[in-house]
Amino acid sequence: MARILVGLSGGVDSSVAAALLVEQGHEVVGAYMKNWVNDEGIPGECPWEQDIEDALGVAKKLGIEFRVIDLVDEYRSRIVNYLIEGYRAGFTPNPDVLCNREMKFGVFLDYALEQGFESVATGHYARRLDTADGSYVLRGRDPNKDQSYFLSLMRPEQIAHAVFPLGDLLKPEVRELAEKYGLPTAKKKDSQGICFIGQVKMSDFLRHYLPDKPGKIVDTSGKVLGKHQGLHLFTMGQRKGHGVASPKEGVAYVVVGKDIKKNQLILGYEDISTKGLYAREVIVGGIANTIAPLPSRVMAQPRYRAKAEPCSCEYISESKVRLVFDAPLRALAIGQVCAFYDGGKLLGGGFFESIES
C-alpha cells in the first residue's frame, strides 16, 4: 500500500477520491491547497473558508490527517500572472490547464515528495496507464466528465506520481458513493469559475488588473461599427456582448479577430468562408511533455468541450509542430491549449501560437 497525499478541495469529487483510497488500504492524508484569497475587492464569491471547513469535515469522517498548504504566493506568480499577461498580450490563456502542471502536480507534488509521500491524488475524471515507455493519461470513463484535456501539459514525471481514483466512475456513481460513505460533501454542488479563484466573472477579474483600453470595432472590410473597452474582454467566436447589431435580419455578428497593433475588434458573420473565424492550419508550440514524438497523423482537441479532430502533424522544432486539420475548425485562438490524443490515450499538449484561415 502507498502513502498518498490527496488534494481535498472541499468538493464531492476529491472527497470520494480520498474515501476510495482509504477503503483500498492506502495511508492517506488530505490537504487543502490554499491558492487564492480574494482580499482585493474583486466582485464575486471566493469560498475558500467554506471549502476548508468542508474538506476538514471529510477528513474527520474518513479518520485521516488534514493539512492546509499555503501556496498563495506560488499561485499568484505561476497562474495569476500568466492569466493577466496572456490577456494583456491579446492571447486566450487557460489557467485551469496550467494550474494542474504548475500547482497540483507542480509545487503541491514537490511538497508531497519532500514529505515522504509516493503520490498525489485528485478528483479528476481521468486514468493513468503505466507502460514500459512511461506513464500516460487516459480519458476518463465518463464521456461527459472526462478531464484529461486539463492534464495535457503535465510532464511524464508528474504523471508517474499522479493517482486518479475516479477515472473508471461515472459522475452519478460518484454521488452515490458520497452518500454511501456519509460524506458531508455528498450533496454539495460542483464548483464553477476560474481554477481555485471561485465564482468570479472573468471580465470582473481582468478589469481589476487590466485597465480599459478603448478601441474601434470594425467589420472584415475595415468599416467602423462601434467602440470596445478592451480586446481582453472578448473571445474568438463570441456572439453576444459586443453591442453591435447586425444589419442582416436573423444573422448576428460574431468576433472573428483581434488586431492587437491597431487595438481593433473585428466582427464578421457566421460562415465557413469568413476570414479569421475558421482555420485549418495552425502552429502549436510549448510541446515539451510528450514521452515520444507526436505521429504524423494525430487527433487534436482545441478546447475542453470540443471533439478531438484528425489532422496531419509536422515538427518545426523540438517543441513546435504545424497542424493541418482535415476540416476547418471554428474560433481557434492564440494562447489556447491544444491536446493530442491517440484514441483515448493523451499524448501531450501545447499552445496555439499562430492560426491561418
Side-chain angles (χ1 to χ4, degrees):
M1 294 294 103
R3 188 165 187 254
I4 302 174
L5 185 65
V6 181
L8 284 179
S9 66
V12 64
D13 293 332
S14 62
S15 302
V16 172
L20 288 170
L21 293 173
V22 170
E23 188 175 64
Q24 292 166 12
H26 296 289
E27 181 183 347
V28 178
V29 173
Y32 179 87
M33 288 175 276
K34 185 180 177 183
N35 290 346
W36 180 256
V37 178
N38 186 5
D39 56 2
E40 300 181 30
I42 303 173
E45 182 184 0
C46 178
W48 65 271
E49 291 174 307
Q50 182 61 54
D51 288 341
I52 289 179
E53 185 177 327
D54 292 339
L56 175 59
V58 169
K60 287 181 177 179
K61 177 65 179 179
L62 297 176
I64 62 175
E65 180 188 343
F66 179 69
R67 306 177 184 182
V68 176
I69 314 299
D70 190 335
L71 301 176
V72 172
D73 290 342
E74 291 89 343
Y75 186 80
R76 180 174 292 278
S77 65
R78 297 187 184 215
I79 307 301
V80 176
N81 289 347
Y82 152 79
L83 185 66
I84 295 168
E85 294 308 315
Y87 275 105
R88 192 194 305 276
F91 302 156
T92 303
N94 191 317
D96 297 304
V97 179
L98 200 67
C99 183
N100 285 313
R101 185 181 74 185
E102 297 297 321
M103 299 303 301
K104 294 174 186 174
F105 298 102
V107 292
F108 187 64
L109 174 59
D110 291 343
Y111 167 85
L113 296 177
E114 290 170 0
Q115 293 289 311
F117 295 95
E118 298 170 38
S119 303
V120 158
T122 64
H124 283 100
Y125 287 80
R127 295 173 288 175
R128 194 184 81 189
L129 172 67
D130 297 322
T131 72
D133 298 325
S135 298
Y136 291 88
V137 171
L138 301 180
R139 289 191 184 277
R141 176 181 161 226
D142 190 334
N144 295 316
K145 289 294 293 182
D146 167 47
Q147 294 173 313
S148 58
Y149 171 85
F150 293 113
L151 306 172
S152 59
L153 297 183
M154 286 176 62
R155 293 181 285 272
E157 62 270 22
Q158 294 175 314
I159 298 171
H161 291 287
V163 178
F164 307 116
L166 307 188
D168 287 310
L169 297 173
L170 302 177
K171 181 69 178 193
E173 294 173 335
V174 170
R175 289 285 182 186
E176 291 173 5
L177 285 172
E179 293 281 1
K180 170 189 169 183
Y181 294 128
L183 301 177
T185 55
K187 297 185 183 300
K188 187 175 181 178
K189 292 182 179 180
D190 291 339
S191 61
Q192 303 291 329
I194 310 169
C195 177
F196 283 108
I197 291 179
Q199 298 181 41
V200 179
K201 287 184 179 180
M202 183 63 77
S203 58
D204 290 336
F205 183 83
L206 292 175
R207 273 201 164 102
H208 185 79
Y209 294 100
L210 299 176
D212 285 353
K213 188 178 180 181
K216 295 177 181 178
I217 300 176
V218 301
D219 65 13
T220 52
S221 68
K223 179 184 176 182
V224 177
L225 304 175
K227 292 184 66 176
H228 66 79
Q229 296 303 309
L231 294 180
H232 57 278
L233 302 174
F234 300 90
T235 59
M236 285 292 294
Q238 182 176 328
R239 293 185 174 92
K240 300 178 180 180
H242 48 66
V244 179
S246 168
K248 293 185 179 181
E249 185 176 352
V251 183
Y253 275 129
V254 299
V255 175
V256 301
K258 301 177 184 180
D259 189 324
I260 305 301
K261 291 183 179 179
K262 295 181 180 179
N263 191 29
Q264 290 181 343
L265 183 70
I266 306 170
L267 303 184
Y269 294 110
E270 184 69 52
D271 188 279
I272 199 167
S273 64
T274 300
K275 183 179 180 180
L277 186 58
Y278 286 83
R280 284 190 64 202
E281 185 172 332
V282 299
I283 303 296
V284 178
I287 302 170
N289 54 315
T290 55
I291 292 177
L294 296 171
S296 60
R297 292 287 297 175
V298 70
M299 301 295 289
Q301 184 172 329
R303 61 180 67 87
Y304 173 47
R305 285 300 183 185
K307 293 191 300 182
E309 301 288 350
C311 60
S312 61
C313 176
E314 175 191 6
Y315 271 89
I316 300 173
S317 68
E318 186 177 353
S319 61
K320 189 176 298 188
V321 296
R322 175 181 287 105
L323 305 180
V324 180
F325 288 95
D326 291 2
L329 300 187
R330 182 185 186 277
L332 302 181
I334 294 176
Q336 280 181 327
V337 171
C338 182
F340 301 104
Y341 290 88
D342 176 8
K345 183 166 71 172
L346 179 67
L347 301 179
F351 303 93
F352 287 120
E353 290 190 355
S354 69
I355 297 166
E356 300 293 332
S357 297

